[in-house]
């Protein structure tokens, strides 16, 4: 028995030495991975202009994908060397840590830099305090942009939700449900820029004695009317013709979400209400609407965010002229065209502050849904 008790401390010491060696090896592997990442970045930065683009691209793909895989593997190998309590506490951060770091790097730092720039003059050489924010809330074109964004928020969001809900209810009762939903959803596959190009032809204006190739003016002249410049006259109501494009694009999104929610309502409840004498209007307003209320709120806030950030349609259709300027196009004009970085940054911060409460509310609503818990 005596020799066996003497060997236990030796075995324990050997095991601890082996474990320490594995930890050092894992740390060395992690450090080597970071070194490869840094050296690869330096190589691509220094030789990107001298090497052929195809070679640079291949190296960047191999370096990027391989380094990320090696980073996860080496970090996981390091964690594996500790006990279960430490492993369970640290391992989640290994997988979400890089994503959180990149999110912070590409989201929060630019926001802070933009906020800093908004306190300086046009070329960021002189501190001007809140002067750019005074401009953002008092200048005539900015007030016009705020007004137009309110039109987009109200009419655009209401139109998408209304038509999406109506189509979802009617299509579910149709024998051509799949075809009808496909046709309504199809515009979602088109980009905002592409939709703008399509609708430029819809609104195309030609003099009264010329051939009308625009659909709206062709209908107007065939009924005895005069061709109209739909997107440049009747300010500010010409914004409604631009808003119609967003409704055409986003109704399919609202329809799909509403249809899924309606199908989740128990058929027993619907049939029981009809047996009890409820007509279709009562079934719709007193059973369906309350049952999908959270979905309606989520879709509404999502489309509301779209309307606050609207840019592509306006810039393609009118370039922000004829009283159609919105906050996003105004930011682009100041920051990208006029190179007035201070005012452009202030407008971007104002837009961010306007969108943030809606995003926060939308995330809270999503968090309450069972599928996101």
């Amino acid at each position: 028995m005596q020799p066996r008790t003497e060997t236990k401390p030796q075995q324990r010491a050997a095991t601890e030495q082996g474990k320490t060696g594995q930890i050092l090896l894992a740390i060395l592997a992690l450090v080597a991975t970071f070194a490869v990442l840094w050296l690869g970045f330096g190589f691509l930065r220094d030789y990107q202009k001298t090497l052929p683009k195809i070679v640079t691209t291949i190296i960047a793909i191999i370096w990027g994908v391989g380094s990320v895989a090696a980073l996860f593997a080496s970090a996981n190998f390091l964690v594996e060397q500790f006990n279960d309590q430490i492993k369970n506490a640290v391992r989640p951060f290994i997988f979400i840590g890089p994503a959180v770091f990149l999110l912070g790097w590409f989201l929060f730092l630019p926001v802070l830099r933009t906020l800093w720039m908004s306190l300086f003059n046009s070329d960021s050489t002189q501190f001007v305090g809140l002067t750019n924010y005074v401009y953002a809330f008092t200048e005539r074109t900015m007030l016009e942009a705020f007004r137009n964004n309110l039109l987009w928020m109200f009419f655009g969001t209401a139109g998408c939700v209304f038509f999406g809900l109506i189509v979802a209810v009617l299509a579910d009762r149709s024998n051509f449900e799949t075809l009808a939903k496909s046709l309504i959803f199809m515009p979602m596959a088109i980009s905002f820029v592409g939709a703008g190009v399509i609708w430029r032809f819809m609104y195309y204006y030609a003099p009264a004695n010329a051939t009308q190739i625009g659909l709206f003016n062709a209908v107007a002249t065939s009924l005895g009317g005069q061709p109209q410049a739909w997107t440049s006259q009747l300010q500010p109501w010409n914004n409604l013709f631009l808003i119609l494009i967003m409704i055409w694009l986003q109704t399919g999104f609202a329809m799909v979400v509403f249809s899924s929610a309606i199908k989740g309502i128990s058929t027993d409840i619907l049939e029981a209400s009809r047996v009890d004498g409820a007509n279709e209007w009562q079934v719709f307003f007193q059973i369906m609407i309350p049952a999908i209320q959270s979905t309606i709120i989520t879709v509404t806030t999502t489309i509301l965010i779209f309307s606050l950030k609207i840019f592509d349609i306006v810039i393609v259709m009118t370039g922000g002229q004829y009283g159609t300027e919105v906050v996003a196009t105004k930011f682009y004009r100041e920051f990208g065209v006029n190179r007035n970085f201070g005012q452009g940054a202030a407008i971007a911060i104002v837009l961010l502050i306007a969108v943030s409460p809606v995003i926060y509310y939308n995330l809270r609503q999503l968090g309450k849904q069972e599928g996101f818990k």
Side-chain angles (χ1 to χ4, degrees):
M1 297 298 293
Q2 186 64 28
R4 184 179 298 175
T5 55
E6 289 177 351
T7 55
K8 281 185 177 178
Q10 295 175 354
Q11 291 176 350
R12 191 178 302 113
T15 303
E16 291 178 354
Q17 287 179 356
K19 184 66 71 177
T20 303
Q22 288 180 341
I23 293 175
L24 292 175
L25 180 62
I27 294 174
L28 184 63
L30 190 60
V31 172
T33 304
F34 277 113
V36 170
L37 272 170
W38 180 255
L39 292 174
F41 170 76
F43 176 82
L44 290 172
R45 180 194 58 193
D46 297 337
Y47 292 96
Q48 62 176 337
K49 294 183 179 178
T50 56
L51 292 174
K53 282 190 176 181
I54 183 64
V55 175
T56 307
T57 304
I58 293 174
I59 293 175
I61 293 174
I62 296 174
W63 167 73
V65 177
S67 298
V68 170
L71 193 61
F72 278 115
S74 58
N76 190 58
F77 179 61
L78 176 60
V79 174
E80 287 290 339
Q81 309 312 315
F82 298 94
N83 58 43
D84 291 340
Q85 184 178 3
I86 296 178
K87 279 193 290 188
N88 294 332
V90 175
R91 182 170 286 151
F93 294 99
I94 293 177
F95 291 97
I96 67 170
V100 172
F101 172 76
L102 291 175
L103 183 65
W105 184 268
F106 290 109
L107 181 62
F108 293 112
L109 288 182
V111 169
L112 293 177
R113 177 171 169 75
T114 304
L115 179 62
W116 180 252
M117 291 177 65
S118 69
L119 303 176
F120 286 80
N121 64 347
S122 59
D123 56 358
S124 302
T125 57
Q126 183 180 356
F127 183 79
V128 296
L130 299 178
T131 303
N132 292 323
Y133 290 95
V134 174
Y135 160 84
F137 288 104
T138 58
E139 203 269 338
R140 183 187 61 81
T141 57
M142 278 303 301
L143 297 178
E144 181 181 271
F146 285 130
R147 180 204 62 191
N148 293 338
N149 267 101
L150 289 176
L151 291 175
W152 280 88
M153 289 168 58
F154 182 77
F155 291 105
T157 305
C160 293
V161 173
F162 175 76
F163 288 112
L165 185 59
I166 294 299
V167 173
V169 173
L170 296 180
D172 283 342
R173 302 182 180 192
S174 171
N175 295 326
F176 306 99
E177 177 184 354
T178 304
L179 177 62
K181 288 183 176 178
S182 300
L183 292 175
I184 299 297
F185 189 75
M186 197 174 294
M188 281 287 294
I190 303 173
S191 68
F192 280 82
V193 175
V197 173
I198 293 171
W199 281 80
R200 280 180 67 90
F201 289 104
M202 299 280 282
Y203 292 137
Y204 187 82
Y205 169 79
N209 56 354
T211 302
Q212 301 296 327
I213 63 171
L215 177 63
F216 279 62
N217 280 327
V219 173
T221 54
S222 66
L223 296 175
Q226 293 294 318
Q228 302 292 327
W230 303 96
T231 58
S232 60
Q233 294 180 344
L234 300 175
Q235 301 176 19
W237 305 113
N238 55 341
N239 285 279
L240 298 180
F241 293 106
L242 305 184
I243 294 171
L244 185 61
I245 303 173
M246 191 186 84
I247 295 174
W248 179 68
L249 284 169
Q250 294 297 319
T251 296
F253 161 72
M255 174 204 66
V256 169
V257 180
F258 288 146
S259 179
S260 176
I262 291 172
K263 287 182 183 298
I265 302 174
S266 172
T267 55
D268 294 338
I269 297 176
L270 298 176
E271 292 300 327
S273 63
R274 292 187 178 103
V275 170
D276 289 341
N279 58 39
E280 293 304 317
W281 288 104
Q282 290 172 324
V283 170
F284 178 73
F285 284 106
Q286 298 180 15
I287 296 179
M288 286 186 177
I289 295 296
I292 64 171
Q293 184 177 5
S294 61
T295 305
I296 294 174
I297 293 174
T298 302
V299 171
T300 302
T301 51
T302 302
I303 298 176
L304 197 62
I305 295 170
F306 283 145
S307 63
L308 279 169
K309 300 187 303 179
I310 195 70
F311 172 79
D312 315 61
I313 294 174
V314 177
I315 205 71
V316 171
M317 294 294 294
T318 64
Q321 302 180 78
Y322 316 118
T324 60
E325 192 88 88
V326 290
V327 175
T329 58
K330 185 65 179 174
F331 158 74
Y332 167 75
R333 199 174 311 284
E334 293 296 337
F335 202 96
V337 178
N338 298 334
R339 311 295 289 175
N340 192 331
F341 300 122
Q343 292 181 357
I347 295 171
I349 293 297
V350 170
L351 185 59
L352 176 66
I353 293 173
V355 173
S356 295
V358 185
I359 294 177
Y360 175 73
Y361 182 77
N362 201 5
L363 291 176
R364 285 197 60 185
Q365 292 300 319
L366 288 174
K368 293 178 181 177
Q369 296 182 15
E370 194 66 28
F372 290 88
K373 292 181 178 177

